[in-house]
Amino acid sequence: MEQFKEEDFEEKLEEKKPRKSGIIQRLDEILGYQTAKETIKLYNKYAGQYRKNKFNIGNLNMIIDCTQESYEYDAIISIINDILIAKKIVKGKYTKIQNYNSVKNTEGSEVYVFQMDDSSLRYEASKLVRIMEEYPNNVYILVSKSEKIKSIRKYTGNWFYWDIVLEKLTDTEKRKQIAKVVEENSFKFENEERTIEYLCTKPIVEIERTLFAGMVNADFHRSKVLKEEYFNMEEESKPKNEKRAMQKLDELIGLDSVKEQVKKIMAYVKIHKERGSMPTLHMCMTGNPGTGKTTVARIIGEIFSELEVLDNKSNFLEASRDNLIAGYVGQTALKTKEVIDSALGGVLFIDEAYSLVLGVDERKNDFGHECIATLIKEMENNRQELCVILAGYKEEMKNLIEANTGFESRIQFYIDFPDYTEEELYEIFMLKVKQEKFVIEDGGKEVVIEYFKNEIDNKKESFGNGRLVRNLFEKIKFEQALRLVNQDGKDYDLITVDDISCVTEKIKTTSLKRNIGFAS
């Protein structure tokens, strides 16, 4: 006789365990909505018996009650539709209906999804009932975010047998989703508890958008650490008496022509908004590095928010070629669309935008053109929800826009950023000195201005404007530190003329000009 083994018994038990269908597994993978999931699982069993005519009560029609924070309800509807296909009650994908006249009765029946608000609840419900009476073999799903949805049964009677409520996610569920997204993308938080606590104050859809924006910003800085600044947390936590955006613009050093152009743009946008005809907001900024393009772009986003032109004051997303272009055919459009979606309600700032269509070796790049095509399309589709600002060198940006006519018709405003004068560069330098509580020795001003004047007179293509100031200041601090190491009675706040001169003599640009002619 064949011996019975214990592992054989365990295999038999395993075979008898009910296995989850792919549909139910998809349902379980959706975050939250535990009560709704149990109802849908019961609906799944009911649909099987309903198909066999074992029930004389009820129907398959459903009301889905969403909150303003509900997410994934399209996925829920898709799962319900797939249940009905699996039970051979319907044949194809559900149809979202805006026009009741498009409802029809087919041999295999169809699923129709209606979205309803509370502005005309009674009227729309009565129309819907007439359609259901005329075509009773179809399955009807009513979706609403209105708080008044519960009263719809006054007007629909027993036509909707099933109710599903997609309740708000708990903080525990939000935290679970945040951890999952961060781990799957190999990121980590710099300040985990504080950042997650901040994210949990948002609806789940906004959490995912904010997380993605943070990851894009981190990637832009070539980092896998999600810093608080990448989520604009400090911006959102500022007190209500913060400076208004236009005041911030006026306080910027120099840039007089830029300030004037921004004020003209804002006047134009404001008047057109009052007239009820919002213009396209997209812009092009041209100029050398370090001229304040990113700073002004942030301020423009804040001004648009104050004018209630854009919804999200803190949503400023900085992107580059690396964030927008993928390495394989077909992936670039998806990657670009994800970045654009995460910037909705704010400003998407693309510096060195001309590099989108130039590879490292300055050749045309097909993936770049895929990015441009997607960008142009989404700039049009979201022209009242998003301000795209393309920035870069003047000549390169001119060539980019002329080579892609779609940009010409979508970019409404152009702002040119001039290089700073030596006096303006000195003002920026002194601002940094005061911010770090240093003091410049008498005579230091002349040395600094002379250095800036020399750099302007011998300007290279890589002239850095504000970056030139930062570079000089950091080197002077190093020189001061070297001096103080071997000095008694240290004055840590004083920067001497010698500290400055030692640096400027080493790093100043030597004139490349040569006299042409005969030697005397």
Side-chain angles (χ1 to χ4, degrees):
M1 178 184 290
E2 185 180 1
Q3 189 173 0
F4 185 78
K5 300 176 182 178
E6 186 176 350
E7 52 265 35
D8 293 333
F9 178 70
E10 290 177 351
E11 285 180 11
K12 292 292 182 184
L13 279 179
E14 190 65 34
E15 286 176 8
K16 290 185 178 182
K17 287 182 181 178
R19 298 185 184 274
K20 287 184 179 179
S21 71
I23 299 172
I24 299 303
Q25 186 173 346
R26 277 166 48 208
L27 178 67
D28 285 336
E29 287 172 356
I30 293 175
L31 181 66
Y33 304 147
Q34 295 307 315
T35 304
K37 288 177 182 177
E38 294 304 316
T39 303
I40 293 169
K41 289 174 183 178
L42 182 60
Y43 181 90
N44 178 48
K45 295 176 182 178
Y46 174 89
Q49 301 300 317
Y50 185 89
R51 173 76 175 79
K52 299 172 185 176
N53 294 318
K54 289 194 174 182
F55 294 132
N56 292 321
I57 59 168
N59 55 56
L60 295 166
N61 302 326
M62 178 181 297
I63 293 174
I64 299 180
D65 181 7
C66 302
T67 69
Q68 292 299 324
E69 293 189 16
S70 296
Y71 85 117
E72 298 266 26
Y73 64 84
D74 278 331
I76 295 286
I77 294 170
S78 179
I79 286 170
I80 292 166
N81 187 86
D82 288 347
I83 287 172
L84 296 171
I85 292 173
K87 305 299 183 186
K88 298 183 179 180
I89 294 170
V90 302
K91 289 185 176 179
K93 188 178 185 300
Y94 66 88
T95 304
K96 286 186 177 180
I97 290 297
Q98 293 179 332
N99 182 358
Y100 290 99
N101 294 329
S102 58
V103 176
K104 56 188 176 182
N105 205 28
T106 61
E107 184 179 343
S109 301
E110 292 192 19
V111 177
Y112 288 102
V113 177
F114 299 84
Q115 289 184 305
M116 190 173 292
D117 57 32
D118 58 4
S119 58
S120 54
L121 198 63
R122 183 172 184 173
Y123 173 72
E124 293 296 321
S126 61
K127 283 174 64 176
L128 180 56
V129 167
R130 287 198 297 271
I131 293 293
M132 295 169 78
E133 288 173 343
E134 187 173 355
Y135 303 117
N137 292 331
N138 292 321
V139 176
Y140 300 89
I141 299 175
L142 179 59
V143 180
S144 179
K145 292 185 178 181
S146 167
E147 293 180 358
K148 298 181 181 178
I149 190 65
K150 296 177 179 61
S151 65
I152 197 170
R153 292 198 178 281
K154 297 179 189 175
Y155 316 117
T156 59
N158 296 321
W159 279 102
F160 290 96
Y161 188 72
W162 296 86
D163 280 299
I164 291 180
V165 179
L166 302 183
E167 64 276 3
K168 291 182 181 180
L169 297 182
T170 65
D171 277 3
T172 301
E173 291 167 337
K174 288 180 180 180
R175 284 172 176 271
K176 183 178 178 182
Q177 181 67 2
I178 291 167
K180 178 184 175 186
V181 172
V182 171
E183 183 180 350
E184 285 177 349
N185 290 278
S186 303
F187 283 90
K188 63 180 181 179
F189 291 110
E190 182 182 52
N191 188 336
E192 184 171 1
E193 184 55 35
R194 179 176 145 83
T195 308
I196 290 177
E197 185 177 340
Y198 158 77
L199 290 170
C200 284
T201 62
K202 300 174 177 287
I204 187 65
V205 176
E206 196 174 332
I207 287 175
E208 293 183 348
R209 182 183 292 175
T210 305
L211 261 179
F212 184 77
M215 289 188 287
V216 169
N217 279 327
D219 189 56
F220 179 81
H221 291 91
R222 303 188 184 283
S223 171
K224 283 291 184 181
V225 179
L226 298 172
K227 299 181 179 180
E228 292 181 8
E229 63 196 71
Y230 297 158
F231 301 101
N232 294 300
M233 287 172 60
E234 291 184 5
E235 284 289 325
E236 291 193 14
S237 62
K238 283 182 179 177
K240 294 298 181 181
N241 62 349
E242 64 180 315
K243 292 178 182 176
R244 294 184 67 82
M246 197 62 80
Q247 184 182 349
K248 293 181 185 178
L249 180 71
D250 287 333
E251 290 178 357
L252 294 178
I253 294 169
L255 304 177
D256 290 342
S257 61
V258 171
K259 294 172 186 176
E260 182 181 356
Q261 178 68 354
V262 170
K263 289 174 183 178
K264 287 180 181 178
I265 291 170
M266 295 309 156
Y268 180 85
V269 170
K270 183 178 181 181
I271 294 303
H272 276 71
K273 180 178 182 289
E274 290 172 0
R275 295 185 65 216
S277 56
M278 275 296 300
T280 300
L281 303 175
H282 310 310
M283 338 186 159
C284 176
M285 292 180 173
T286 57
N288 287 327
T291 48
K293 295 187 290 293
T294 305
T295 300
V296 172
R298 285 183 183 274
I299 291 173
I300 284 172
E302 292 181 19
I303 296 173
F304 279 151
S305 177
E306 289 176 2
L307 294 176
E308 297 183 351
V309 172
L310 293 175
D311 295 335
N312 195 338
K313 185 175 184 176
S314 66
N315 198 11
F316 179 89
L317 186 58
E318 191 173 354
S320 66
R321 174 187 171 85
D322 290 343
N323 306 126
L324 297 166
I325 296 177
Y328 301 97
V329 176
Q331 291 184 339
T332 291
L334 296 173
K335 192 172 182 180
T336 303
K337 179 73 163 57
E338 284 182 344
V339 171
I340 291 169
D341 286 347
S342 67
L344 290 178
V347 171
L348 173 60
F349 180 77
I350 305 175
D351 202 3
E352 298 181 350
Y354 50 82
S355 68
L356 296 177
V357 288
L358 294 174
V360 175
D361 56 0
E362 298 290 311
R363 294 181 303 182
K364 295 287 182 181
N365 185 302
D366 288 338
F367 299 148
H369 287 290
E370 185 182 346
C371 170
I372 292 290
T374 305
L375 188 58
I376 288 171
K377 177 185 175 184
E378 295 303 319
M379 285 169 72
E380 178 63 27
N381 292 345
N382 300 293
R383 59 195 179 91
Q384 293 188 3
E385 298 178 66
L386 175 69
C387 173
V388 174
I389 300 179
L390 306 178
Y393 291 107
K394 190 170 186 175
E395 196 60 34
E396 283 85 345
M397 292 304 299
K398 179 184 175 184
N399 294 336
L400 171 71
I401 291 168
E402 287 178 351
N404 298 273
T405 54
F407 278 141
E408 285 190 291
S409 61
R410 287 162 179 80
I411 294 176
Q412 179 86 339
F413 309 111
Y414 291 82
I415 306 175
D416 185 50
F417 286 69
D419 288 335
Y420 290 108
T421 65
E422 59 264 32
E423 290 81 7
E424 290 166 347
L425 291 172
Y426 177 73
E427 281 189 65
I428 298 171
F429 176 81
M430 287 307 298
L431 184 63
K432 291 185 175 295
V433 168
K434 290 175 183 176
Q435 285 173 344
E436 299 200 22
K437 299 179 180 178
F438 284 101
V439 177
I440 300 293
E441 187 179 50
D442 290 344
K445 175 179 178 179
E446 290 73 19
V447 179
V448 173
I449 290 181
E450 183 183 349
Y451 167 73
F452 288 140
K453 187 176 186 307
N454 177 76
E455 297 306 297
I456 291 171
D457 290 343
N458 298 285
K459 191 180 296 182
K460 298 178 180 179
E461 287 186 9
S462 59
F463 184 71
N465 287 283
R467 299 176 191 177
L468 181 74
V469 175
R470 184 169 62 248
N471 184 48
L472 174 65
F473 185 53
E474 292 302 321
K475 282 179 165 50
I476 289 172
K477 288 194 295 181
F478 271 110
E479 195 66 36
Q480 185 226 32
L482 286 172
R483 174 175 57 80
L484 291 175
V485 166
N486 300 313
Q487 181 178 309
D488 295 328
K490 298 177 176 62
D491 185 348
Y492 295 101
D493 298 334
L494 179 67
I495 292 175
T496 68
V497 173
D498 286 342
D499 293 335
I500 300 169
S501 298
C502 284
V503 173
T504 57
E505 286 301 315
K506 291 175 186 175
I507 67 173
K508 71 179 181 180
T509 302
T510 305
S511 174
L512 300 177
K513 296 177 182 178
R514 296 286 184 268
N515 292 326
I516 299 174
F518 297 100
S520 56

